[in-house]
Amino acid sequence: MISFEDFAPGQVRQLGSVVVDRDEMVTFARRFDPQPFHLDEEAGKASIFGRLAASGWFTAGLWMRLYTDAILLRSDALGSPGGDEIAWPAPVFAGDELFASMEVIETRRSASKPWMGLVTLRAWMRRGAPDSDGTDSDDVVYRARFTGMYGSREQPRP
Amino acid sequence: MISFEDFAPGQVRQLGSVVVDRDEMVTFARRFDPQPFHLDEEAGKASIFGRLAASGWFTAGLWMRLYTDAILLRSDALGSPGGDEIAWPAPVFAGDELFASMEVIETRRSASKPWMGLVTLRAWMRRGAPDSDGTDSDDVVYRARFTGMYGSREQPRP
């Protein structure tokens, strides 16, 4: 079980990869972000993206799922109050393979709730060739910085 | 058609409301954020949320949809590079009615692409009683600050 005490600044973790499914990408956009360039190939071509492009919120969700599987479900995670960066520096297209990573920036124990620790993370996702390990491309499509709350092993919740 | 020139700092817009559907909330979490307190009533009760709670990414998606319907689909919107705040100050529960708002913080024309303007927005969503107008509660469940790109009416894209 991963607890607050297991995080330390500078730790980098590869969180795995996901291939963007076109149908799922469009279904997501239809519900949450139905702008034409997220729904329709022709509208995508005419847009500044040049192709049908994913909603940035879908991209964020893909990173979140990889983080959940790799870290949260093996941890005593307690949610997140939010963060101070979310960025989509390049569009995401159907069929892209996206490689998710995280780095621990800062850790501190909650003063008011010592059974809880706050872990500030940098998140990012790159587009890679299907056979790449995600490190040979600088095509970053997603960046975020946020704080996760984790239970403490040394000072358990009363 | 809403263009860059129609935005000005200080403008506040109410974007409508949405009632959180329990099945949709759990289906979203199962795909993008399958932490137990987002999936299961008992796990939610045992968590710091006290009840089955929505994934923050689902909440963000609900705001995005209301913004899309109220603004983006009536505009010359060109996507978003990202933002510098995303926050979930209180949990969201099934059946909540959430009222979305936005305020224009800053507008500036792109120097390199004068046919495009950058509009920095503050976004928020409050929980309201089903019959409220969303202004009588300070129970804010979502906040964000990001930049939207809009086409210019005065200097159209060449």
Side-chain angles (χ1 to χ4, degrees):
Chain A
M1 176 87 112
I2 301 170
S3 296
F4 168 61
E5 287 82 2
D6 297 313
F7 293 97
Q11 290 171 341
V12 173
R13 287 288 301 270
Q14 306 305 325
L15 305 174
S17 75
V18 61
V19 175
V20 176
D21 181 85
R22 185 197 166 94
D23 287 348
E24 187 186 31
M25 173 182 121
V26 171
T27 299
F28 182 100
R30 196 171 291 129
R31 170 62 181 113
F32 295 109
D33 190 354
Q35 299 183 76
F37 43 66
H38 294 324
L39 299 177
D40 179 77
E41 192 65 59
E42 291 308 309
K45 279 183 189 158
S47 77
I48 59 170
F49 304 122
R51 290 168 61 188
L52 175 67
S55 167
W57 300 103
F58 180 64
T59 305
L62 294 178
W63 186 90
M64 185 66 197
R65 174 57 186 267
L66 292 169
Y67 170 58
T68 304
D69 287 349
I71 306 290
L72 295 177
L73 294 184
R74 302 168 50 215
S75 79
D76 187 12
L78 301 169
S80 167
D84 62 6
E85 183 187 19
I86 184 162
W88 300 284
V92 166
F93 305 119
D96 283 351
E97 185 166 16
L98 304 180
F99 293 80
S101 306
M102 59 169 266
E103 179 179 0
V104 179
I105 301 298
E106 190 191 342
T107 67
R108 65 183 177 87
R109 189 176 298 277
S110 167
S112 60
K113 297 172 182 159
W115 45 268
M116 177 191 285
L118 301 164
V119 179
T120 301
L121 298 176
R122 197 163 68 83
W124 69 99
M125 203 147 57
R126 315 176 172 265
R127 192 192 330 268
D131 58 351
S132 93
D133 62 1
T135 59
D136 62 352
S137 159
D138 58 1
D139 198 352
V140 174
V141 297
Y142 178 64
R143 280 199 316 269
R145 214 180 101 111
F146 67 92
T147 299
M149 302 183 292
Y150 286 87
S152 166
R153 182 163 48 229
E154 292 172 5
Q155 299 189 39
R157 193 173 181 179
Chain B
M1 178 86 114
I2 301 171
S3 297
F4 168 61
E5 287 82 2
D6 297 313
F7 293 97
Q11 290 171 341
V12 174
R13 287 286 301 268
Q14 306 305 326
L15 305 174
S17 74
V18 60
V19 175
V20 176
D21 181 84
R22 184 197 166 94
D23 287 347
E24 187 186 29
M25 172 182 121
V26 171
T27 298
F28 182 100
R30 196 171 291 129
R31 170 63 181 113
F32 296 108
D33 189 355
Q35 298 183 77
F37 43 67
H38 294 325
L39 299 178
D40 178 78
E41 192 66 58
E42 290 307 310
K45 279 184 188 158
S47 77
I48 59 170
F49 304 121
R51 290 168 60 188
L52 175 68
S55 167
W57 299 103
F58 180 65
T59 304
L62 294 177
W63 186 89
M64 185 66 196
R65 174 57 186 267
L66 293 169
Y67 170 59
T68 304
D69 287 348
I71 306 291
L72 294 178
L73 293 184
R74 302 168 51 215
S75 80
D76 187 13
L78 301 170
S80 167
D84 61 6
E85 183 187 19
I86 185 162
W88 300 283
V92 166
F93 305 118
D96 283 352
E97 185 166 16
L98 304 180
F99 293 80
S101 305
M102 60 169 265
E103 179 180 0
V104 179
I105 302 298
E106 190 189 342
T107 66
R108 66 185 176 86
R109 190 176 298 276
S110 166
S112 60
K113 297 172 183 159
W115 45 269
M116 178 191 285
L118 301 164
V119 179
T120 302
L121 298 176
R122 198 164 66 85
W124 68 98
M125 204 149 55
R126 317 175 170 266
R127 192 191 332 266
D131 59 351
S132 92
D133 63 1
T135 60
D136 62 352
S137 158
D138 57 2
D139 197 353
V140 174
V141 297
Y142 178 64
R143 279 199 316 270
R145 213 180 102 110
F146 67 93
T147 299
M149 301 183 292
Y150 287 86
S152 166
R153 182 163 46 229
E154 292 172 7
Q155 300 189 38
R157 193 173 180 179

